[in-house]
Amino acid sequence: MAALSAVVFALSWWLGLYLLARDPRKPVLVLAAIGLTSFAAVVALDAVRLVSGSDVLGRIEIYLVAVPGIAWFAVLLELSRPSDTWRSRAGEIVIVVAVATLAFVGATMAGSVEGPLRTGHWVMFAAISLSSLGAMVNAVVRRSQPGPVVGFVVIATLFFALGNAILIIPLGLVPSWLALASTGFDVALLGIAVAIGDAFDEGQALRADMLRSFAATAVVAVLFGGQALIGLAVTDEQTALTVLLFTSLGIAIAINVLADPLAGILDRLAFSRSPALRADRAALRQTEAALPLRSKSPLDDVDDETFVRLTRRALGHYSDLSKLVASPLTALPVIDQRLAARGAPDQPLERANELKALLADRIAALKPRDSGDFGTTEEWRYYNSLYFPYVVGVRAYAQNATASGLDPVARQAWQWFVTEVPQRSLHNWQNAAARLIAADLRGLVAVKD
C-alpha cells in the first residue's frame, strides 16, 4: 500500500512541479500545479495518518482534501478564457472564493476525513462536483483557440471526476488501492493535458522534454524512495519511515525538476560580483532547456490563425531569448538568409537573436514616416503598442510601476499609457499589430515556398 501511495505521490508531485517550471507567470499552469501538488500532499498525509492512527491528521486532512478540487475548478475557469482577448479575472476570483468557502464550511461540518459519511462530506462533495461540472460545460462551450486541443473534452471530464474521487479515498468507501490507482491514472492524464494545451498555445514540442523530465524523476524516485520502502518492509518504525519516504521523494523530485531555477539562485550567491558570468550561464541553461521544445518541422502545415498566434507569442517573448529559442518562427526562411548574410553560425541562440532582430525590424516598419519619435494619433497606436512595452520595456500597468530610468520619449509614452489607454485597448491593439506582422512574415514563407 505504501509503495502504491508513493508512486501516485511521485507522479502528481512531479507533474505539478513540471507545469510550474514551464512558466510560473501563467495562471493556468500555476493553478494546475497547485491542484496536483496539493493532491500529492493529500496522498502523503493520508498514508501517514493510516499508519499512525492520528486523529489530528484526520482533522487537518479534511481541509487539505478540498484544495485540489478547488484548484482544478479554477483551472477550468481559466481554460474557458479566450486566449486572444483580455478581460478581468475579478468575476472568476469571486466564484472561486465562493466555492472554496462552501467547501471549507463543509469540511468544518464534517470535522474529519474518517467515515461514516456525514452532512459535511456531502456539502464538500456538492460544492466541488456541481461547480466543476458547470465549469467543465462552460470551458467546452467558450473555449476559443486556433485549432483543437487534443482530448480537451475528455480531460475536462477527468478534472470533474478527479475532484470527486479525491474525497472518497480517506472514507474507505472503496479499497484504497483501487481509489489510488484510478485517481493516479486521472492525475497523469490531467497533468499531461494541461502541458499539451500550454505547448500548443506556445507552438512548442513537448514529448522529448516531458519524457526526459519523467525519466530523471523516475531515477531519483527509485533511488531515494526505494531505500525507505525497504526500511518499511524490514522494520516496525512505520510512522517515521513513512514520513521519511514522502519527504525524501518530495525533496528529491523538487531538486530534479527545479534544477535550473535553483542553479540560478546558486549562481547569484557564488558569482555575486560577476553579473556578466551569471548572465552567460543563465543563457546557456535556458538554451539547453528550450532545445527539446523545438519541433523538427515547426512551420509545416501551419494555418494562418496558428501563424498569427505564434507571432503574437514571439512578440510577447521579445526580451526572453529562452522562449524565442523554442519559437517555431526561428525556422523562417528569412532567418537562414539573415544568418548567411552576416556569416553567423546556424546555432539556436543565433537564430533566436536573429528572430528578435527581425521582429524589431517589423515593429519599426509600423512607425509612421516623418512624424517624430512619438505620437498619440490613430496611426501611431500599433507601433506604440508593440515598441514601447516590448522593445523599450515600458510596463505601464505593472503594480508599483514608475517611469524612473526611462528616456524622455519612453516617459512620454508611459504617461500616455497610464492616463489615456485602457489595458484592454492596448491588448486589442497588440493583437491587431501582431496580425499585420504575421501577414508580413507569412508572405516571406510563401515566397520561399
Side-chain angles (χ1 to χ4, degrees):
M1 182 60 194
L4 183 56
S5 296
V7 170
V8 175
F9 170 87
L11 180 62
S12 55
W13 186 255
W14 162 67
L15 279 172
L17 294 180
Y18 178 81
L19 292 177
L20 184 64
R22 278 188 62 83
D23 192 347
R25 297 168 295 185
K26 282 193 171 183
V28 67
L29 296 181
V30 173
L31 291 169
I34 292 173
L36 289 162
T37 54
S38 60
F39 175 80
V42 170
V43 172
L45 188 64
D46 193 63
V48 175
R49 180 184 63 83
L50 289 176
V51 298
S52 65
S54 172
D55 293 334
V56 174
L57 292 182
R59 290 193 291 272
I60 295 173
E61 188 178 346
I62 191 62
Y63 292 97
L64 184 60
V65 80
V67 175
I70 296 168
W72 293 326
F73 166 65
V75 168
L76 284 172
L77 290 182
E78 188 67 27
L79 288 175
S80 70
R81 296 171 59 86
S83 59
D84 59 349
T85 62
W86 182 94
R87 72 167 190 252
S88 172
R89 290 184 171 86
E92 286 92 337
I93 294 174
V94 170
I95 296 173
V96 171
V97 170
V99 170
T101 300
L102 186 58
F104 287 134
V105 167
T108 302
M109 294 170 60
S112 175
V113 293
E114 296 181 350
L117 277 171
R118 293 182 288 276
T119 303
H121 293 128
W122 286 111
V123 171
M124 295 177 66
F125 183 85
I128 294 176
S129 300
L130 296 179
S131 62
S132 297
L133 181 59
M136 179 188 70
V137 173
N138 182 56
V140 171
V141 171
R142 301 184 65 176
R143 178 67 174 175
S144 174
Q145 60 181 16
V149 174
V150 178
F152 174 74
V153 175
V154 174
I155 299 306
T157 304
L158 288 174
F159 273 121
F160 169 65
L162 191 55
N164 292 300
I166 193 173
L167 297 177
I168 67 172
I169 292 176
L171 294 174
L173 301 181
V174 297
S176 294
W177 66 268
L178 179 60
L180 280 173
S182 62
T183 52
F185 176 75
D186 287 348
V187 162
L189 291 182
L190 169 67
I192 292 172
V194 174
I196 289 174
D198 181 63
F200 176 85
D201 195 44
E202 293 287 345
Q204 297 175 342
L206 183 68
R207 181 179 302 176
D209 185 66
M210 181 171 275
L211 285 177
R212 179 187 180 281
S213 180
F214 175 78
T217 296
V219 170
V220 298
V222 170
L223 291 176
F224 286 84
Q227 300 177 64
L229 287 174
I230 293 173
L232 284 171
V234 300
T235 68
D236 296 328
E237 296 294 331
Q238 298 293 302
T239 300
L241 285 175
T242 300
V243 172
L244 180 63
L245 169 65
F246 290 106
T247 54
S248 298
L249 282 174
I251 294 172
I253 293 172
I255 292 175
N256 173 63
V257 177
L258 304 177
D260 286 345
L262 291 174
I265 294 174
L266 292 176
D267 280 357
R268 283 195 292 272
L269 294 175
F271 309 120
S272 59
R273 298 182 179 180
S274 304
L277 177 60
R278 293 202 310 270
D280 289 343
R281 287 174 58 85
L284 290 173
R285 284 196 305 272
Q286 291 166 355
T287 302
E288 179 188 18
L291 288 179
L293 298 172
R294 300 179 65 188
S295 302
K296 292 182 179 179
S297 302
L299 296 179
D300 289 352
D301 302 321
V302 172
D303 58 33
D304 289 341
E305 283 300 314
T306 302
F307 196 88
V308 170
R309 175 175 53 81
L310 296 176
T311 303
R312 180 70 178 89
R313 282 286 177 266
L315 289 167
H317 298 321
Y318 179 86
S319 298
D320 190 343
L321 278 182
S322 66
K323 296 290 186 182
L324 291 181
V325 164
S327 173
L329 297 187
T330 56
L332 284 168
V334 68
I335 299 293
D336 296 319
Q337 298 168 10
R338 292 169 68 106
L339 288 175
R342 64 185 181 89
D346 187 359
Q347 295 177 349
L349 269 180
E350 289 290 346
R351 284 189 166 272
N353 277 304
E354 203 59 56
L355 174 59
K356 182 176 181 179
L358 176 63
L359 293 175
D361 291 344
R362 293 304 183 265
I363 292 172
L366 297 174
K367 183 179 179 181
R369 300 287 180 88
D370 303 324
S371 299
D373 294 325
F374 177 71
T376 59
T377 59
E378 184 174 344
E379 64 178 349
W380 280 88
R381 60 178 53 173
Y382 293 159
Y383 172 76
N384 290 345
S385 68
L386 296 181
Y387 177 74
F388 290 104
Y390 297 143
V391 179
V392 180
V394 173
R395 298 290 182 263
Y397 307 104
Q399 188 175 8
N400 300 323
T402 67
S404 61
L406 299 178
D407 61 48
V409 175
R411 283 175 178 270
Q412 193 176 358
W414 182 88
Q415 185 66 29
W416 178 66
F417 283 129
V418 171
T419 59
E420 300 185 33
V421 181
Q423 190 172 358
R424 182 193 301 270
S425 297
L426 176 63
H427 187 89
N428 292 336
W429 295 347
Q430 288 174 335
N431 285 339
R435 287 186 174 276
L436 292 177
I437 292 178
D440 190 11
L441 296 179
R442 190 68 162 171
L444 295 176
V445 175
V447 169
K448 177 66 177 180
D449 293 342

